[in-house]
DNA sequence: TCAATTTGTCTATTCGTCTATACAAATATG
DNA sequence: CATATTTGTATAGACGAATAGACAAATTGA
């Protein structure tokens, strides 16, 4: 590490004063972005708990081998994402916490979030009836061109966006679902209101990639952060597809759990 | 899009000549990196099939609204990852293809890769006996300090690295597993040789994040690409934990599939 | 109340990214 | 074989990232 430590750390328990792995240069990702990502990952991994204070800027800068201004640029982006908050004279504190998210036959966002001790909410962004294209038709096992209801929403836990995505429903099966969903903030409850008492997960497909502009915006996550992209098909008890959806989960705010 | 198209595209079916969404600037990710990621995502999404030629550099540059040199920098990184190959006078062609990877009670890498029509191989990187730390002990349900066998390996399909990770086994249960694994290139076969005929998946936990330096190196993926991090526990028929492992999957080369 | 600590802001310089122009080299096709 | 097409390389200038130094502002604790 080329940068010499500029401030001698106070005595006592001290994390992060040992040098971190060098931040690679020339990778196409700026230093401040990489540092922000590492700090975010460390927080997600539990290195610092909510409410805990991070090492001071000078220490972090030294540990990462960068200038304090570069380090501050990293912290600024974390603050922008809502993960940390800094106050002059006081320090920088952690705000975030990941959610344990089991995926099973009866995956229900509301139940999962409530079980995690937080407040679930489905923020309805928009819905409209459109004719099923080839992909939607295949997933829902209907004829191409059949009217489907397309709903776009964000799912939040304690006001923090967890997932953002789109779901398609057979329009004739779910009249006015968008209106009831918008009113209740819960998809499961809206379906129940419409007489659909049960459905279960048929298949979940997962990939991951860096968030795009829309996802960054809707999920309030920093550029370059990863999203887990879930494509899922839910079916009614008679086996008929009810819903096909594709959602992006803020990877740092959720940990998917599977038990075969 | 500020950049004017510099070459009139040839007549006939033509993708990508319409302008792509503008590449954001000031995000901490260079333009060439973002372009590389988008092209990689498009390839993974099936926009171009292996063997198919990408639009020429001038067209791509125009579509992304960047200089041809910037576009070339993006293509260079994709070529470095093995996704594409370019030849002067000939064009740029796609090489990559994602693997469908079902996760279930009997997840076996070899079976999955073979089912996908490719050649599976477990590249043994190293193994040694060590004393279980707190985390390993908890996952394997043994006393802290119990000797465990730690194995590091890369799993490949047709010579392309798919996952890289570490697994821990109760040393007394799997004597010489590392040696047999190194010799056979198949964990399942190695365990069978040692008298362990069956095991099943108890739990799989998934997160995602950008690949770190080691993962970029071992998986031959470009900086900033995402990895799917799987923590898994496998147990023997009697319910006793056999293996705890944590592997990083190249997110662009694999799509995880779950059927509850 | 004051000193110490920590974050916040300003100005300036150097290095890397992006753009631009031009032309060489390799391949494909008529 | 010649032309068109496409990638590959060289040089140069403008702009953003990173560094550096200095000092102000806010908070904490003695």
């Amino acid at each position: 590490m080329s940068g010499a430590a500029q401030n001698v750390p106070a005595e006592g328990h001290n994390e992060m004063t040992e040098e971190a792995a060098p931040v690679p240069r020339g990778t196409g990702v700026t230093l401040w972005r990489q540092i922000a990502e590492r700090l975010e990952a460390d927080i997600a991994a539990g290195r610092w708990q909510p409410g805990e204070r991070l090492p001071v800027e000078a220490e972090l800068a030294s540990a990462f081998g960068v200038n304090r201004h570069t380090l501050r640029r990293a912290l600024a982006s974390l603050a922008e994402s809502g993960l940390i908050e800094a106050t002059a004279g006081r320090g920088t504190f952690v705000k975030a916490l990941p959610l344990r998210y089991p995926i099973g036959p009866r995956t229900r966002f509301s139940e999962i979030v409530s079980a995690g001790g937080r407040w679930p909410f489905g923020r309805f962004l928009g819905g409209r009836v459109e004719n099923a294209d080839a992909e939607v038709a295949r997933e829902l096992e209907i004829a191409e061109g059949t009217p489907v209801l397309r709903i776009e929403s964000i799912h939040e836990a304690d006001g923090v966006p967890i997932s953002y995505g789109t779901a398609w429903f057979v329009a004739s099966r779910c009249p006015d679902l968008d209106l009831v969903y918008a009113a209740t903030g819960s998809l499961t409850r809206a379906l129940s209101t419409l007489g659909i008492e049960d459905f279960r997960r048929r298949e979940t497909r997962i990939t991951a990639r860096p968030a795009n502009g829309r996802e960054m915006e809707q999920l309030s996550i920093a550029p370059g952060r990863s999203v887990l992209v879930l494509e899922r098909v839910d079916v009614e008890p008679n086996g008929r597809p009810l819903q096909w959806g594709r959602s992006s989960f803020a990877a740092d705010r959720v940990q998917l759990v599977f038990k075969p």
Side-chain angles (χ1 to χ4, degrees), chain A:
Chain A
M1 185 73 53
S2 58
Q6 285 168 315
N7 289 302
V8 179
E11 281 187 358
H13 184 57
N14 199 322
E15 298 181 359
M16 202 61 179
T17 47
E18 77 273 24
E19 295 178 353
V23 191
R25 300 167 184 245
T27 66
V29 184
T30 59
L31 295 182
W32 67 263
R33 274 298 308 282
Q34 297 184 57
I35 293 167
E37 287 168 1
R38 287 199 195 186
L39 291 172
E40 191 169 356
D42 284 344
I43 292 171
R47 186 166 189 176
W48 295 290
Q49 300 301 318
E52 200 168 341
R53 203 188 69 159
L54 297 185
V56 303
E57 292 180 0
E59 286 178 29
L60 287 171
S62 176
F64 283 111
V66 298
N67 188 267
R68 187 177 153 243
H69 294 279
T70 305
L71 188 278
R72 278 183 59 77
R73 183 66 186 86
L75 295 181
S77 77
L78 293 180
E80 195 179 323
S81 310
L83 254 80
I84 63 171
E85 64 185 353
T87 310
R90 190 161 166 269
T92 307
F93 297 81
V94 174
K95 289 170 69 181
L97 196 61
L99 174 73
R100 180 182 164 89
Y101 198 99
I103 302 285
R106 316 190 63 74
T107 304
R108 302 286 189 270
F109 181 84
S110 298
E111 292 174 9
I112 290 167
V113 174
S114 298
R118 310 189 208 192
W119 186 260
F121 185 69
R123 182 178 300 283
F124 174 82
L125 296 178
R128 63 189 178 81
V129 174
E130 61 189 31
N131 294 330
D133 62 20
E135 183 180 36
V136 173
R138 184 181 65 251
E139 297 285 356
L140 289 177
E141 293 174 13
I142 54 178
E144 198 167 332
T146 304
V148 290
L149 176 61
R150 178 178 186 280
I151 291 184
E152 191 170 327
S153 61
I154 298 177
H155 285 83
E156 303 175 350
D158 278 354
V160 176
I162 298 298
S163 75
Y164 158 65
T166 306
W168 288 264
F169 300 81
V170 181
S172 62
R173 190 73 189 87
C174 313
D176 298 323
L177 174 62
D178 49 342
L179 302 180
V180 187
Y181 185 15
T184 61
S186 164
L187 178 66
T188 306
R189 189 170 163 185
L191 289 169
S192 178
T193 299
L194 297 175
I196 299 175
E197 301 296 343
D198 191 31
F199 60 92
R200 43 192 316 286
R201 181 62 52 90
R202 169 187 274 177
E203 177 168 288
T204 305
R205 298 187 295 265
I206 302 173
T207 56
R209 53 169 173 68
N212 61 35
R214 185 73 174 150
E215 289 158 346
M216 287 188 262
E217 181 187 339
Q218 297 290 3
L219 294 170
S220 298
I221 57 184
R225 298 316 292 156
S226 299
V227 288
L228 284 160
V229 181
L230 263 70
E231 291 181 352
R232 63 187 185 280
V233 179
D234 289 340
V235 299
E236 298 192 64
N238 60 14
R240 183 164 51 181
L242 169 70
Q243 160 186 206
W244 176 60
R246 179 189 289 120
S247 300
S248 304
F249 284 71
D252 294 325
R253 295 186 198 132
V254 70
Q255 183 183 57
L256 306 181
V257 182
F258 296 88
K259 289 180 183 291

